[in-house]
Amino acid sequence: MSEPSRFATALPNETATAHLMADLALLVGAGDVITLSGDLGAGKTSAARAMIRYLAGDDTIEVPSPTFTLAQHYDLPSYPLLHADLYRISGPGELEEIGLAPMPEGTVVLIEWPERAAGGLPADRIDIAISHRPALGSGARAAEITGYGKAAAQVARLAALRRFLDDAGYLHAERRRMAGDASTRSYARLIRGDTSFILMNAPKRPDGPAIHGGKSYSAAVHLAEDVKPFVAIGRGLRDHGFSAPAIHHADLESGFLITEDFGSTGFVEGTPPAPIIERYQAAADLLAALHGRTLPDTLPVTADTTYTIPVFDLEAMLIEVGLLLEWYLIDRGIEPGEDLRAEFMAIWRALLAKPDAASKTWVLRDFHSPNLIWLEQRQDIGKVGLIDFQDTVLGPATYDLVSLLQDARVDVPESLEIALFTRYVKARLESEARFDPAGFAELYAIISAQRNTRLLGTFARLNRRDGKPHYLRHQPRIWTYLTRSLAHPALSAARAWYRNHVPPPAG
């Protein structure tokens, strides 16, 4: 077991306590256990309350002390949370009665008075020991934060984050929770005066074990495993006149950034959300402009280092579609045998030969509504703010157009998809006389089928491996898009295979 990691910090007032707990909330996730120790009145419940309110995004939510109820449950946007108080129990044997033996899965657990159950708590946990510091003021506290077992790395990262914020001048900025995404990154808004900034926490981390020729899934399909690609691609986009957020402070080794805040004006509206046509048109225009340019494949990260954009090659595309076999079909009760797997991969190897051989451009890869911010004050395609591009690869121009027009999280009517596709093609023809609309349409159908096949598997994996079941609600939409693309004559073999072997999503 790793050695404990610890650091101490002063908490001169409740605001400082709230900042510490918000910073910790940025780094923890479902399954983590945080214990709060200290004398009566030390501020344990205040610290728990601050964290719960931050995670809820609501400073007014009622967070009573669980001294009498022993445990309080909260269904928070990111994950459920259990707030427990062990003051009234006599030993670890009573943990089971309040739902703490075993610890609840998929839940963050906050425990006050952990010493009452000494020996019954997980070896992997974060402890925050709070003590009075009357010499510094009546409300002053100090906290010693210790990470045990696997949590030692989290506490070391918390200490690094606090140093980064202090060095950048944001330690005392107000924190506001932001929704996360499907990655390991997490975000917060930092409010300083009348200006807000975005704090990005992007730890170095491969996505999955090394099972793809000795590489993790993220390495094999060229997903960013640290923050450097974000810095390089962002600078490249800005240099070419596109709206990517400026970076104000960076710790490239630890993976912390403070960036420009584009706000939250999106590309959809209503319930259920639907595309705002004018904004989708601007996004399609941006792609036509991007794809019509000659772009470099190597970009500076710092004055001394560069980043080479990886090629989205045939093997990477095949590994992506393989998620259907590994995750989606298993979820649907099908265990594909070797013959079925071989048929599937042979069909896809033949299909993907064309996009693999097509001319390459920057593929931002997650070019869809959650990652596009409308910047009303800017001009033309500069109104399209880009915030998620660290996974950029060199690949077929059709990929990002599919991402936009077959939005995984929003229903894009087929009539609008066709209209925007036509708009894009017209723009490309105006600037490139040799542009081939029919060939582009075929590549669009192939990449659509590839991307939506991958998404069926990805969303199944996010549910089963990462505890994010809300992604399953998008699978029926993905199935609709997939059905559209499989109707293209070039995909007849794939269409027959899917009809025979791939059931639609449940529900």
Side-chain angles (χ1 to χ4, degrees), residues 80-308:
L81 183 145
L82 176 65
H83 179 201
D85 187 319
L86 307 186
Y87 184 73
R88 296 172 57 222
I89 75 167
S90 58
E94 298 180 38
L95 290 177
E96 185 175 0
E97 298 176 25
I98 56 175
L100 294 179
M103 289 288 166
E105 292 185 5
T107 301
V108 168
V109 180
L110 289 173
I111 301 175
E112 298 184 41
W113 296 98
E115 56 271 28
R116 300 283 186 173
L121 297 177
D124 303 320
R125 69 183 188 280
I126 297 169
D127 181 69
I128 303 175
I130 304 174
S131 57
H132 291 278
R133 286 294 186 270
L136 301 178
S138 59
R141 307 284 192 273
E144 182 173 81
I145 301 98
T146 305
Y148 297 97
K150 294 179 181 178
Q154 289 171 296
V155 168
R157 187 162 184 80
L158 177 62
L161 171 61
R162 303 273 293 175
R163 288 193 299 270
F164 170 70
L165 291 169
D166 195 16
D167 292 344
Y170 291 80
L171 187 62
H172 304 297
E174 179 187 349
R175 277 73 153 168
R176 292 183 188 168
R177 179 190 171 275
M178 294 180 67
D181 54 25
S183 74
T184 58
R185 296 180 297 274
S186 56
Y187 305 86
R189 273 198 166 87
L190 301 174
I191 314 297
R192 197 172 63 175
D194 296 329
T195 308
S196 67
F197 306 86
I198 301 297
L199 169 63
M200 179 193 294
N201 164 52
K204 293 181 181 179
R205 191 175 303 170
D207 186 6
I211 59 175
H212 300 280
K215 295 180 179 179
S216 66
Y217 175 81
S218 52
V221 302
H222 313 303
L223 300 179
E225 294 187 347
D226 62 35
V227 79
K228 294 173 186 175
F230 183 92
V231 173
I233 300 297
R235 177 179 288 134
L237 288 167
R238 292 192 300 275
D239 287 348
H240 283 84
F242 300 102
S243 295
I247 297 172
H248 299 302
H249 301 275
D251 181 338
L252 298 181
E253 290 308 311
S254 296
F256 299 125
L257 298 179
I258 295 174
T259 75
E260 180 181 8
D261 184 0
F262 279 166
S264 55
T265 303
F267 275 57
V268 297
E269 63 182 358
T271 305
I276 300 173
I277 293 176
E278 171 201 3
R279 298 177 188 179
Y280 269 66
Q281 288 172 337
D285 293 345
L286 181 151
L287 289 178
L290 179 71
H291 298 158
R293 298 192 185 183
T294 300
L295 301 167
D297 54 15
T298 298
L299 299 163
V301 179
T302 67
D304 304 317
T305 61
T306 59
Y307 174 72
T308 299

Side-chain angles (χ1 to χ4, degrees), residues 19-28 34 51 126 128 158 161:
H19 291 167
L20 171 67
M21 299 308 290
D23 294 342
L24 177 59
L26 197 68
L27 306 182
V28 300
I34 302 161
M51 186 172 187
I126 297 169
I128 303 175
L158 177 62
L161 171 61

Side-chain angles (χ1 to χ4, degrees), residues 404-418:
L404 176 69
L405 305 189
Q406 296 188 343
D407 195 316
R409 292 163 178 79
V410 177
D411 290 328
V412 179
E414 190 170 10
S415 58
L416 179 58
E417 179 185 2
I418 293 170

Side-chain angles (χ1 to χ4, degrees), residues 411 456 459 471-483 504-507:
D411 290 328
L456 285 176
F459 290 167
Y471 283 94
L472 294 180
R473 71 176 185 266
H474 301 305
Q475 284 185 333
R477 180 182 303 112
I478 299 305
W479 184 261
T480 298
Y481 294 146
L482 177 61
T483 302

Side-chain angles (χ1 to χ4, degrees), residues 356-370:
D356 186 51
S359 60
K360 303 291 191 291
T361 187
W362 287 9
V363 175
L364 305 187
R365 213 160 183 179
D366 286 307
F367 192 88
H368 50 191
S369 61

